[in-house]
Amino acid sequence: MSVPPALPAALLDELRAVFSERCSTAQAVREQHGRDESVFDVPPPQAVVFARSEAEVARAVALCAAHRVPVIPYGAGSSLEGHLLAVRGGVSLDVSRMARILRIDAEDLTATVEPGVTRKQLNEALRHEGLFFPIDPGADASLGGMAATRASGTNAVRYGTMRENVLGLRFVSANGDVVRTGSRAKKSSAGYDLTRLLVGSEGTLGVITELTVKVHPLPEAVSAAVCFFPGIDAAVRTAMQVIQLGVPIARCELLDTNAVKAVNAHDKLGLKEAPMLLMEFHGSEAGVAEQAATVQAVADEHGGEAFEWATTPEARTRLWTARHHAYLSGLQMRPGCRAVTTDTCVPISRLAENINASIDEVEAAGLPYFVVGHVGDGNFHMAYLLDPARPDELATAERLSAQMVARAIRLEGTCTGEHGIGLHKQGFLRDEAGNEAIAVMRALKTAMDPLGILNPGKIFTGPGPGD
């Protein structure tokens, strides 16, 4: 990776004139904004700017455009595929201080927020209105970052992903203009769908400054359950059958034996150490009871046992907190390790095939691992645990990841269900979408960012606009 040119002194002076102490070149601040949860080691951005308003975002982008300097949007820093890394140098534009909830419309079931608002902050505000925002990727990610990566998570099987739950946006374009997309209406046939174009664009087409999202009524009744299985195959086939029967299950999460051991050690749960489904049901009292009875009967057919209920908020929170801790818990299985974490999504009928083959491959390679998955929608995550001092282990993990992703594409799935492309899956995007689709995507990028300053080096392999 080539060393980027130095930041122009004139640009730095202009940024400091506008942002004062909120423009930083301190090493610690730059390093904080030059790391995510991926294994990539990339030099940090050359400066970090903390914006507090849409006007400040527009000013920062316009100044960088005038000097042809890259701008990398930054939210909570929880991405997994190198999205926020300054691979071509430039300015990290931190919008985490843009954290106002601008509007809650309980009657219309919408909320409008700035991009730095996190999902927990929004849900705390919504709780007092009897509402909630369902997208839950695990980390307390920012809404702007969740939209940029088209995040989903544990509730997606019932409530959909960010794609379905973002109604409209405001974003700053590559030349510093503010663009508004969508509205608070539930549907529209007015022109190109720019909202969906920005959702999932990973900061390469614009910097999101405001979002209007769907919110949902808190369900009358909520119940969670865990069930243990003799093997991964039985657990996955239970989830498949539940979905195929049309049960409106809200969450259906898989933890393999290694993941269960990890959360037991981390959260002192005492769960049976076997492949486990963690499920949640939303609805009326009668509806939840009916859903749960159906699922328990299906689980029994596949050898499920030790079906346990968690109906109190405290018990449910304990279980779901452990699930959300699964990644950090898994890292503690091998102290000092780093994880190559990848995800795929396939048609649910092919999910067992993909998971079982992936497990067979990693066990044959002898690399420590764990599996978690949103199996209700065909999505799962494999984390390979490696010694950062051993390049051979990184090479093995990348080989296994490539095999898993290639298989998902062969099974008519996708190389990523929710992580995004970033740096890690650029080659797989070409395998999945084809050269013709990539050409269309590149044309859109060139039209919207002709200088190539918005998060360059992401999504596409090779040179891009401005190179």
Side-chain angles (χ1 to χ4, degrees):
M1 191 172 294
S2 60
V3 177
L7 206 65
L11 171 61
L12 198 52
D13 289 343
E14 290 167 345
L15 290 171
R16 284 173 172 159
V18 175
F19 294 94
S20 188
E21 76 283 353
R22 290 184 289 118
C23 174
S24 177
T25 56
Q27 185 71 20
V29 176
R30 291 168 51 225
E31 288 182 352
Q32 176 196 350
H33 289 74
R35 290 193 303 263
D36 64 1
E37 296 297 325
S38 71
V39 295
F40 297 105
D41 289 316
V42 175
Q46 292 147 316
V48 178
V49 166
F50 295 87
R52 294 192 298 208
S53 69
E54 182 178 81
E56 288 190 344
V57 171
R59 184 65 176 143
V61 172
L63 288 173
C64 289
H67 292 273
R68 299 197 172 200
V69 167
V71 178
I72 305 97
Y74 184 97
S78 56
S79 60
L80 291 162
E81 304 288 357
H83 301 93
L84 57 82
L85 302 183
V87 292
R88 298 186 188 175
V91 174
S92 177
L93 182 52
D94 188 322
V95 298
S96 63
R97 299 184 186 185
M98 295 174 63
R100 293 182 302 159
I101 297 171
L102 302 173
R103 182 175 178 180
I104 294 175
D105 292 282
E107 291 182 343
D108 293 323
L109 297 177
T110 67
T112 301
V113 302
E114 290 184 323
V117 172
T118 68
R119 65 176 184 86
K120 288 183 179 180
Q121 289 171 337
L122 178 57
N123 273 318
E124 180 60 27
L126 291 171
R127 183 171 59 86
H128 304 291
E129 304 285 345
L131 303 169
F132 80 114
F133 180 68
I135 310 303
D136 177 7
D140 190 20
S142 65
L143 273 290
M146 289 168 62
T149 55
R150 203 184 298 138
S152 53
T154 59
N155 281 316
V157 63
R158 177 159 181 172
Y159 297 97
T161 71
M162 287 299 283
R163 180 185 64 191
E164 291 79 33
N165 284 277
V166 178
L167 292 170
L169 295 168
R170 290 173 66 93
F171 71 93
V172 172
S173 69
N175 63 1
D177 289 340
V178 176
V179 182
R180 179 174 61 85
T181 80
S183 68
R184 292 198 306 113
K186 290 208 171 201
K187 63 180 183 179
S188 172
S189 58
Y192 295 157
D193 192 343
L194 298 181
T195 303
R196 299 300 179 277
L197 181 62
L198 264 290
V199 173
S201 63
E202 302 183 16
T204 64
L205 301 180
V207 182
I208 295 171
T209 55
E210 184 179 298
L211 308 91
T212 296
V213 297
K214 296 179 184 178
V215 297
H216 300 259
L218 285 167
E220 173 191 336
V222 178
S223 180
V226 294
C227 187
F228 301 88
F229 292 86
I232 287 282
D233 192 71
V236 173
R237 294 193 182 283
T238 297
M240 287 168 50
Q241 190 172 340
V242 167
I243 301 305
Q244 289 163 349
L245 287 171
V247 178
I249 192 168
R251 290 168 159 175
C252 188
E253 297 289 298
L254 169 73
L255 283 77
D256 78 332
T257 303
N258 291 337
V260 175
K261 288 179 179 177
V263 298
N264 271 345
H266 186 274
D267 291 285
K268 309 295 188 292
L269 289 182
L271 297 167
K272 179 178 179 179
E273 294 183 348
M276 179 184 85
L277 287 182
L278 172 56
M279 297 162 282
E280 191 167 275
F281 309 92
H282 295 178
S284 66
E285 294 283 357
V288 164
E290 182 180 359
Q291 292 172 43
T294 300
V295 172
Q296 186 163 1
V298 173
D300 288 345
E301 291 178 14
H302 293 279
E305 57 184 25
F307 209 95
E308 298 177 15
W309 294 100
T311 54
T312 67
E314 295 79 12
R316 292 198 309 273
T317 298
R318 189 163 178 253
L319 284 174
W320 286 109
T321 298
R323 167 61 184 91
H324 288 146
H325 289 170
Y327 176 73
L328 295 177
S329 302
L331 293 180
Q332 294 180 13
M333 293 166 57
R334 191 177 188 187
C337 73
R338 295 185 74 174
V340 170
T341 306
T342 195
D343 82 309
T344 62
C345 189
V346 296
I348 195 166
S349 63
R350 312 305 296 271
L351 181 61
E353 179 180 350
N354 198 20
I355 293 180
N356 288 331
S358 300
I359 288 175
D360 289 345
E361 288 167 353
V362 67
E363 290 189 341
L367 203 61
Y369 72 96
F370 64 91
V371 176
V372 294
H374 316 308
V375 289
D377 53 15
N379 186 201
F380 81 100
H381 307 260
M382 175 77 78
Y384 306 101
L385 306 180
L386 54 98
D387 182 344
R390 291 190 56 182
D392 61 308
E393 291 194 355
L394 175 59
T396 297
E398 292 289 5
R399 173 178 59 81
L400 294 170
S401 174
Q403 291 173 191
M404 184 180 104
V405 173
R407 179 169 47 253
I409 294 171
R410 288 197 304 273
L411 296 175
E412 300 180 275
T414 177
C415 62
T416 175
E418 58 186 4
H419 286 186
I421 298 298
L423 291 175
H424 203 198
K425 293 191 172 178
Q426 295 177 352
F428 297 122
L429 177 62
R430 183 174 296 278
D431 295 339
E432 177 180 328
N435 291 330
E436 296 79 9
I438 296 294
V440 173
M441 294 182 200
R442 281 190 176 277
L444 288 167
K445 170 69 171 172
T446 300
M448 295 183 69
D449 182 19
L451 299 178
I453 67 164
L454 293 176
N455 206 10
K458 313 300 164 50
I459 299 183
F460 308 112
T461 55
D467 291 322

